[in-house]
Amino acid sequence: MENISSDSQIHEYSLRIVAITIFLLASYFTFGQNLSTQSKKASRYYLKAEKQQRERDFIGAIDFLEEAVKVDPLFLEAFIRMGGLYNALGREDSAYSKFSRYIKIAPNPVASILERLAFMSFDRGHYQKSNEYLTSLLKKEPEKSKEREISILSESIKFSLNQIKNPVELKITELTQGINRYKLQYLPAMTVDGNTLVYTKRDQFSSDEDIVVSYKKEGRWSNSISISDKINTSLNEGAATISADGRTMIFTSCDRRDSYGSCDLYMSRKVGDRWSRPKNLGNRVNTKYWESQPSLSADGKTLFFASNRPGGFGKRDLWVTYFKDNFWTNPSNLGENVNSFKDETTPFIHFNNQTLFLSSNSYPGMGGFDLFKVDKVDSLWTHPENLGYPINTYRDEVALLINAEGDEGYFAKEIQKNREILDSRIVGFVIPEYIRPKKSYFLTGKVVSKETQKPLKASLQIIDISTNELLYNNYSDSITGDYYMVLPRGKDLAGYIKNKGYLYQDFSFSTSQSDYVYSDTINIELIPIQEGESLILKNIYFETNSYDLDDRSKSEIENVHELLLENPEISIEIGGHTDNIGTKEYNKLLSLKRAESVYNALIEKGIKEERLKFTGHGDSRPLNPNTNEINRKSNRRIEFRVLKAKQ
C-alpha cells in the first residue's frame, strides 16, 4: 500500500489536511490583537509561546501555552494555537483534543475550526460529533455545502450512521504465526487453488520490504520464506500479484537501475520451482511517475494497477493494460465512473475476471480509505459500491483479497497510534453473502507425453465456440507439466493442447451458470506424430442430418490447418463416423459427405490435395454401444489418421 510520495509499500494515510496550519493561525491570533483572556500572566505566557514558535521551537511554545490555560482555562486563542502546533508536529490526537476543548468554551467558534473538527471527528469514527460540527459550520457559512469535500463528508456521515445501525456479523481471525511472523505484513495475493499466499513484509527496525510466500499443506500454512533471492534485494520489493496458476508474478520495486521512476512494475515467471530474474514491464506501463499495487487477472493477460501519471481524474487512479503479442499495451484509464477526483488504490481483480475490488477515499464511506467493488457488465464497469460496515470502519481499509470460491476474504489489519502503524497482521474472514463475487470455473491438470510420460511445455488455448474468441492462451509448466486455467461461466468452450512434434489434443465442455464454484481435472497425454496414430476432432459440428459445417467448427479446422503447416511432411486421412440411427447406406453416405466437408475446408485454406484423403465409415466403427444418446453422440464424429509421417 505504497505511499505516493515515498518508496515504501505502506499506504498514505487519509487524514484530511485543511488549510489551518500553525502559520495561518499565527496571522489570525497575534499578541497585538484583542485576546479573550483578561489575565496579564496568561497573556505573557502566550507572548512567550509566539516567540518560541517563531524560533521553530514548537514543543517550547506548547509548554508556555499549557501554562497560559492553567492560568485562564477559557483562553480561546491558546487552545487554537496549541491545536495548530500539535497538528504541525503530526500529533493529530492532541490537536483534536485542543480544538475540541476550544469548541466547548467558545461562544462563537471560528468556522475553520468547526470545519477541521468535522473532518477530524469523522476520521475517528465519531460520526454524530462530526454531524454536529458540520451542522454548526453550515449555519455559519451555508455556501460551504456546495463544496465538493463538504458534500462528500455530509453524504458519508449519513451513510456511516445508517451502517452502524445495521451491522453485519463479521468474525475476523488472524492467520497463523507462520504468516504473521514479521513486524508488518500486508498486501496479500493468492493462487486459484488457495494453497499459495504471497505478501509483503517489513521487519522491525528496517525500512526494507521483501516479498514472502507461504504454502498451505494439509490445511495448514507453512512458515513464510523469501519468494526468491532473484527478486528480493536490498531495495524495496512488494505489492505483488500472482497469476492463478502461480507461475507469473508482477510486483513493485523502487529505485532499481533500470526503473523509469521511483517505483516501477516488474515481472518474473516461475519454471519448476525457480523464479526468473525480474524484467521491467517497459516504458509503455512504467513512467517517471508512480506505478504500483498491481493486480493480475487469472490468465495473466490483464493487469490493473494504480498510478499518479497524467491523464487521470484524480491524484491516484486505476489503470489497465493487456498482454498482447508478447508486449503490454499502452495502459488505459478505467474511467471517471470508477476513478474520482481523489485516490483510488489497491485494485484486486477476482478470479472470475468480472468483479474488481478497490479502495478509495473519495466516495461516501466510513472514513479514510474504504473498500468498494465494481462489476464488469459487457465492456463497462459499474459505479463503485461500498462494502459497508463492519468491513469498512473509520480506519483505512485497503487491499482486499478474496479466494476463488468467493467466500473467504483476507486483508492486513493495522494497529495505529497518532496515525502511525505500530503493527500490521494478515487476517481472514467469511465474506458476507451480499458482496460475494460470482464464482469461478477452473481447470487443472498435467500435460505429459503418452510415450514417455515426461512432462511437456504445451500451448493451452480455450476458444469460445459461439464467437471463436480466444479466451485463454498460456503454457503448461515445462518442468512439471502442470497447468491451471480460470474460465468464464456460462460458455460453450473448445480446448486445444499443442506441442510441436505431437498430435494436439482437444476437448469441448460447457461452464456452469450456477453460483457454485466448479473445478475439474483434465490430464492430457500428447501422442507423438507417427504413422497410424489418430485423433478425434471433438469440436467439429454439423446440423442434424446435414454435412454442412457449423460456424462453431472454425477453431478445430484452424488447428488441423496449423498442424499440417507445422508438419509439412505428414499426410492424413479424414474419416467420418455416425451412430446407428438410419440405414447403413444413409449413414455411409452422410459420414462420407461430412468427411468431405472437412477435406474441402482444409483445401480452401491452402493444404495440397495430395496430403489429404477422406472416407466414410458410417456406423461400422462405434466407440461405444449405441444404447443411449450419450453413447450415440460419441459415435458421431470426425477422426483423422496419420497416413505418412516424417521418415
Side-chain angles (χ1 to χ4, degrees):
M1 294 164 286
E2 187 169 354
N3 189 321
I4 194 170
S5 60
S6 76
D7 293 340
S8 165
Q9 311 302 328
I10 292 287
H11 63 84
E12 177 186 30
Y13 294 111
S14 64
L15 189 63
R16 183 179 185 267
I17 304 300
V18 182
I20 305 176
T21 67
I22 186 58
F23 307 106
L24 286 175
L25 289 173
S27 67
Y28 292 153
F29 304 105
T30 64
F31 186 69
Q33 290 179 324
N34 293 325
L35 298 177
S36 60
T37 184
Q38 300 299 313
S39 169
K40 292 182 179 180
K41 186 176 181 180
S43 296
R44 284 195 296 271
Y45 281 129
Y46 189 83
L47 179 60
K48 291 179 181 179
E50 276 193 326
K51 181 176 181 295
Q52 295 302 110
Q53 178 189 317
R54 287 194 296 271
E55 295 174 356
R56 310 291 293 178
D57 180 7
F58 292 172
I59 298 299
I62 289 172
D63 289 341
F64 281 121
L65 291 169
E66 289 286 8
E67 293 299 322
V69 297
K70 285 180 183 177
V71 175
D72 184 355
L74 301 179
F75 193 170
L76 301 178
E77 294 81 4
F79 284 109
I80 293 178
R81 188 174 291 275
M82 274 194 288
L85 285 164
Y86 278 124
N87 185 76
L89 291 168
R91 294 169 61 176
E92 297 295 331
D93 290 340
S94 296
Y96 180 62
S97 173
K98 299 306 179 184
F99 286 145
S100 298
R101 176 62 178 160
Y102 161 76
I103 291 294
K104 287 180 181 178
I105 61 176
N108 185 25
V110 176
S112 57
I113 304 298
L114 286 170
E115 181 177 349
R116 183 77 171 107
L117 279 172
F119 282 98
M120 294 183 84
S121 298
F122 186 80
D123 283 341
R124 285 158 175 75
H126 304 161
Y127 303 123
Q128 192 58 52
K129 271 289 182 190
S130 179
N131 191 47
E132 292 171 8
Y133 292 134
L134 183 60
T135 300
S136 298
L137 170 65
L138 295 179
K139 283 182 180 178
K140 293 175 75 70
E141 298 184 4
E143 68 280 3
K144 279 277 186 180
S145 63
K146 298 178 182 179
E147 293 183 5
R148 186 161 49 178
E149 294 262 16
I150 295 295
S151 176
I152 291 175
L153 176 62
S154 178
E155 292 180 52
S156 294
I157 290 170
K158 293 174 185 177
F159 174 81
S160 301
L161 289 172
N162 181 62
Q163 286 290 309
I164 59 177
K165 288 180 182 177
N166 304 286
V168 176
E169 185 176 350
L170 194 69
K171 183 179 179 181
I172 295 176
T173 305
E174 284 190 6
L175 299 193
T176 64
Q177 189 61 37
I179 291 174
N180 290 308
R181 57 190 310 200
Y182 310 100
K183 178 64 176 176
L184 301 173
Q185 38 264 306
Y186 38 89
L187 290 167
M190 183 179 284
T191 52
V192 68
D193 60 6
N195 291 329
T196 302
L197 184 71
V198 172
Y199 58 99
T200 307
K201 68 89 171 174
R202 181 186 292 181
D203 292 310
Q204 194 170 12
F205 309 121
S206 172
S207 60
D208 179 39
E209 294 171 308
D210 286 326
I211 302 169
V212 294
V213 60
S214 175
Y215 301 99
K216 184 183 284 186
K217 297 178 181 179
E218 299 180 354
R220 296 176 62 86
W221 289 106
S222 66
N223 289 339
S224 62
I225 57 174
S226 170
I227 190 84
S228 170
D229 58 7
K230 289 185 178 179
I231 293 173
N232 290 322
T233 69
S234 59
L235 301 173
N236 283 339
E237 291 83 25
T241 179
I242 193 166
S243 60
D245 61 6
R247 295 193 298 112
T248 300
M249 185 171 67
I250 294 177
F251 65 95
T252 308
S253 187
C254 302
D255 298 323
R256 293 197 178 207
R257 290 182 178 179
D258 61 346
S259 67
Y260 296 90
S262 63
C263 296
D264 280 10
L265 298 176
Y266 290 78
M267 181 166 67
S268 177
R269 295 193 184 276
K270 190 177 185 182
V271 179
D273 60 355
R274 295 182 180 275
W275 288 98
S276 66
R277 192 168 299 281
K279 290 185 178 180
N280 190 297
L281 291 194
N283 59 7
R284 290 184 180 181
V285 175
N286 292 313
T287 67
K288 66 179 181 180
Y289 299 93
W290 175 86
E291 281 83 31
S292 185
Q293 301 169 351
S295 180
L296 194 61
S297 62
D299 63 0
K301 303 299 182 183
T302 304
L303 178 68
F304 299 85
F305 64 96
S307 177
N308 66 339
R309 66 211 295 153
F313 296 90
K315 300 174 183 176
R316 287 178 283 182
D317 275 15
L318 300 187
W319 299 74
V320 62
T321 177
Y322 305 95
F323 194 68
K324 295 181 180 179
D325 301 323
N326 290 319
F327 289 98
W328 290 99
T329 62
N330 290 324
S332 56
N333 190 282
L334 285 195
E336 60 183 337
N337 202 44
V338 174
N339 290 312
S340 71
F341 72 103
K342 292 182 73 176
D343 294 304
E344 279 67 47
T345 66
T346 60
F348 165 67
I349 184 67
H350 188 256
F351 298 97
N352 65 19
N353 209 31
Q354 295 176 313
T355 304
L356 180 72
F357 294 88
L358 61 116
S359 56
S360 175
N361 61 0
S362 175
Y363 299 107
M366 304 291 294
F369 280 90
D370 272 17
L371 291 166
F372 296 80
K373 79 166 185 172
V374 296
D375 290 302
K376 197 169 190 178
V377 179
D378 297 325
S379 60
L380 300 176
W381 293 102
T382 59
H383 191 72
E385 174 189 353
N386 192 296
L387 300 191
Y389 178 79
I391 293 177
N392 288 318
T393 68
Y394 67 93
R395 299 185 185 277
D396 288 327
E397 278 78 38
V398 294
L400 177 65
L401 164 68
I402 297 180
N403 65 354
E405 287 82 356
D407 60 356
E408 292 182 0
Y410 305 88
F411 68 98
K413 185 175 179 62
E414 300 168 351
I415 298 175
Q416 301 176 16
K417 183 177 182 181
N418 281 322
R419 303 304 192 188
E420 178 186 355
I421 298 178
L422 302 179
D423 190 63
S424 174
R425 305 180 73 78
I426 296 178
V427 299
F429 65 101
V430 176
I431 297 290
E433 290 283 350
Y434 71 96
I435 61 168
R436 289 187 180 183
K438 293 180 180 179
K439 299 180 181 180
S440 311
Y441 181 102
F442 62 94
L443 293 177
T444 182
K446 186 184 292 286
V447 183
V448 300
S449 167
K450 185 174 183 179
E451 188 175 59
T452 65
Q453 291 300 301
K454 289 184 178 179
L456 294 174
K457 179 182 180 180
S459 165
L460 300 104
Q461 296 181 340
I462 299 295
I463 307 290
D464 182 337
I465 61 174
S466 64
T467 64
N468 284 299
E469 178 186 2
L470 179 64
L471 299 180
Y472 184 94
N473 185 21
N474 216 326
Y475 292 90
S476 57
D477 189 286
S478 61
I479 305 297
T480 65
D482 293 335
Y483 74 87
Y484 287 95
M485 297 187 221
V486 181
L487 303 172
R489 301 182 314 141
K491 299 280 188 180
D492 293 323
L493 303 174
Y496 300 96
I497 298 90
K498 297 180 285 186
N499 185 287
K500 191 172 183 179
Y502 292 82
L503 294 178
Y504 70 84
Q505 288 288 335
D506 65 348
F507 51 89
S508 60
F509 58 101
S510 296
T511 53
S512 172
Q513 280 279 21
S514 74
D515 286 337
Y516 294 97
V517 65
Y518 182 75
S519 63
D520 201 354
T521 300
I522 300 179
N523 292 318
I524 306 294
E525 293 183 324
L526 294 184
I527 302 171
I529 297 175
Q530 297 175 0
E531 188 174 317
E533 295 292 355
S534 61
L535 172 66
I536 297 173
L537 306 182
K538 297 188 176 79
N539 293 298
I540 292 291
Y541 300 92
F542 302 94
E543 296 296 332
T544 304
N545 296 322
S546 170
Y547 51 83
D548 292 329
L549 281 170
D550 189 293
D551 284 343
R552 295 175 296 167
S553 305
K554 287 182 178 178
S555 63
E556 188 79 75
I557 295 296
E558 182 58 38
N559 275 279
V560 177
H561 175 242
E562 288 180 6
L563 179 70
L564 293 171
L565 289 180
E566 289 177 359
N567 301 275
E569 71 283 353
I570 71 171
S571 59
I572 64 171
E573 177 187 80
I574 302 163
H577 301 264
T578 68
D579 57 26
N580 67 345
I581 303 298
T583 66
K584 295 284 186 181
E585 294 76 12
Y586 175 81
N587 288 337
K588 179 80 170 177
L589 179 61
L590 180 62
S591 66
L592 179 67
K593 288 292 186 180
R594 286 182 168 180
E596 185 180 16
S597 293
V598 175
Y599 169 89
N600 288 334
L602 292 170
I603 295 294
E604 288 176 7
K605 293 184 77 68
I607 302 300
K608 294 180 180 180
E609 292 184 20
E610 57 264 29
R611 299 182 62 193
L612 303 173
K613 290 184 178 181
F614 65 92
T615 186
H617 300 286
D619 58 13
S620 64
R621 299 182 181 181
L623 294 175
N624 297 292
N626 285 292
T627 53
N628 55 57
E629 179 52 29
I630 293 176
N631 286 356
R632 286 192 290 271
K633 184 177 180 180
S634 69
N635 292 331
R636 299 190 295 267
R637 68 194 188 278
I638 295 292
E639 189 171 349
F640 81 66
R641 182 168 60 92
V642 179
L643 297 176
K644 179 184 176 183
K646 186 176 181 179
Q647 298 299 319

